[in-house]
Amino acid sequence: ARLALLALLGVGGYHLALNYGQQFVSSGTASIVIASNPALTFLLAVPLLGEGATPMRALGVGLAFGGIVVVVLLGRGEGWGAGNLKALLVLTVAPLSWALYNIIGKPLFGKHDPLAVTAYFHLLGLVFLLPLAGPELVEATRALDATGWAALLFLGFGATLTATLFYNIALSSLPATKTAAYIYLIPLVAAAGGVLLLGESVTAWMVVGGALVLTGVGLVERGYSDDAIQKIIGGNVLRVARCVLT
């Protein structure tokens, strides 16, 4: 029953809400809404899993989320727009579903083989999604060329199956809050990919936002004292300032 609930949340709830919401709101808005997942996980993990609500972790989650906002709105210039309020509300179901996935799946991955659980998770998720497939899906599949099939296979086996497997392995041994914090790195990887593969420019705001994200994730992952936190934040600010000025 728990595995079926995981599939319903992680495959059905997350992907359906994400794909629906992205049709009606800007990509920048969607990125920020999805980035609320680690914060929601933190808020749920403290009372439900008994994870420590230390000031360091709270600060790290907040800094990393702020960094995402800087990267998306200022660094990449994607802009914020609520657009369709209904779509925005549906979109919030995606990070909430994945946060619940972290909470419910944490004990399961700790007791069973993450590879087996991940395989059954995706199979059950397929069962939930198949009834929603219509004739247009068959037509779209037939129309795919070699490039389209390559992209589809990469998304299915690389960006989805393999990524979820590694995530679940991490979730089996790390606290849910620490595992979810790595999701903050996704926009940074996307921005770096845009620079390296698409020739997009690097802006000072992207550097600032990236430093905030990395600092926040570092604070969540490691146990620093208050003095050490100030040194870390100060050091990153100095590095960013030097990069911007030079």
Side-chain angles (χ1 to χ4, degrees):
R2 177 171 292 187
L3 186 56
L5 182 57
L6 280 182
L8 183 62
L9 290 169
V11 178
Y14 179 82
H15 289 288
L16 289 176
L18 176 63
N19 292 337
Y20 176 83
Q22 283 185 315
Q23 297 180 73
F24 304 101
V25 302
S26 68
S27 59
T29 301
S31 298
I32 293 173
V33 172
I34 296 301
S36 66
N37 171 31
L40 292 173
T41 299
F42 173 73
L43 293 175
L44 292 174
V46 172
L48 298 180
L49 295 180
E51 296 186 2
T54 64
M56 178 196 67
R57 288 183 179 176
L59 176 61
V61 169
L63 275 179
F65 181 76
I68 295 299
V69 174
V70 171
V71 170
V72 172
L73 297 188
L74 301 177
R76 303 183 68 181
E78 295 185 3
W80 166 272
N84 188 315
L85 181 58
K86 176 185 176 182
L88 187 62
L89 292 175
V90 172
L91 186 62
T92 59
V93 173
L96 180 58
S97 294
W98 197 260
L100 290 171
Y101 171 92
N102 291 328
I103 303 304
I104 297 172
K106 171 65 179 171
L108 191 64
F109 293 117
K111 295 179 180 178
H112 304 283
D113 179 18
L115 176 58
V117 176
T118 302
Y120 286 116
F121 159 75
H122 281 98
L123 288 174
L124 286 173
L126 179 62
V127 172
F128 287 132
L129 293 180
L130 275 179
L132 302 178
E136 61 275 7
L137 177 63
V138 178
E139 296 300 324
T141 304
R142 290 177 177 175
L144 288 175
D145 56 13
T147 302
W149 275 109
L152 185 62
L153 291 174
F154 173 77
L155 288 174
F157 290 96
T160 302
L161 180 60
T162 303
T164 305
L165 173 60
F166 285 128
Y167 184 89
N168 291 341
I169 292 174
L171 188 60
S172 68
S173 56
L174 295 176
T177 301
K178 287 188 175 184
T179 305
Y182 284 104
I183 293 175
Y184 283 134
L185 300 179
I186 294 176
L188 293 189
V189 175
V195 172
L196 296 176
L197 302 177
L198 301 178
E200 297 178 356
S201 60
V202 180
T203 66
W205 284 116
M206 288 175 67
V207 177
V208 171
L212 288 174
V213 171
L214 294 177
T215 299
V217 172
L219 293 178
V220 173
E221 296 300 312
R222 302 178 65 180
Y224 292 112
S225 64
D226 291 341
D227 291 339
I229 291 175
Q230 294 177 5
K231 292 179 181 178
I232 294 169
I233 296 175
N236 278 280
V237 171
L238 288 176
R239 293 188 190 96
V240 170
R242 288 169 184 164
C243 290
V244 173
L245 294 176
T246 58

